[in-house]
Amino acid sequence: MTSKKVIELFYDVVSPYSWLGFEVMCRYRTVWNIELKLRPTFLGGIMQGSGNKPPGLVPNKFLYMGKDLNRLSEYFNVPLRSPSDPFEAMFQKGSLNAMRFVTAVQEKGKGGDEQVERVSRELWRRIWYEDKDITEPASLSEAGIKAGLSDSEIKELLELSNSKEIKNKLKISTQNALDYGAFGFPLVVCHLNGKPEMFFGSDRFELMAHCIGEKWLGPLPDKPAAKL
């Protein structure tokens, strides 16, 4: 068997399209010959660093986004539901605290990205399905508990997430994404023959499969295992 292709997934839990990309890449981790590396990153820093404008700030895009997410939720089998106040959730509250917490989880994780995957998914569920906060320590604690972390682990992670070390690590991840050419999320970087190939969005999987020599089997390559 040829060596696994390294694929980096840069994401932020404030982005619903990132959730779609995240779930699909996690499903294909055991279908394609790949090594998936999760890269928690701060979308706010990407937008500022690239000079991009969030789709939610363009009225027609914002209206389309709501309808689009309903269709995508069914297609990808991901339980997406817009928050009651999307503008507040995405732009006023944001995700800096949440992504620092996820970064701390990754820093302390002992089993690869397993804990990062579970915590990220719970945070997405909170904001994009349960219409709950993801910024306050109590909110992060609830997500951590649902992801299987202990009270002592969560306390340590909350303290670590406010450290200079974790703040810098999140900044570095954000800058790495910008260096690849990021302007939004999800961002998937496939490393092929020593060269990075960048794919933006949750609708490039068929093209990505073609480029890495794999087969796209749809959003549910293994239906029993793919259900959330």
Side-chain angles (χ1 to χ4, degrees), residues 19-58:
W19 193 6
L20 302 174
F22 174 90
E23 294 298 352
V24 169
M25 292 310 304
C26 287
R27 292 166 187 170
Y28 272 86
R29 185 171 42 198
T30 55
V31 177
W32 290 346
N33 185 34
I34 62 173
E35 179 184 354
L36 179 63
K37 294 183 178 291
L38 300 179
R39 302 293 190 224
T41 316
F42 181 47
L43 182 56
I46 295 296
M47 303 306 282
Q48 184 176 6
S50 65
N52 197 5
K53 190 175 183 180
L57 297 182
V58 180

Side-chain angles (χ1 to χ4, degrees), residues 41-42 49 77 111-112 122 135 138 140 142 152 179 183 187 210 222:
T41 316
F42 181 47
N77 190 31
E122 289 302 331
T135 64
L140 300 175
E142 286 182 20
S152 60
D179 290 344
F183 53 87
L187 178 77
H210 170 75
D222 183 23

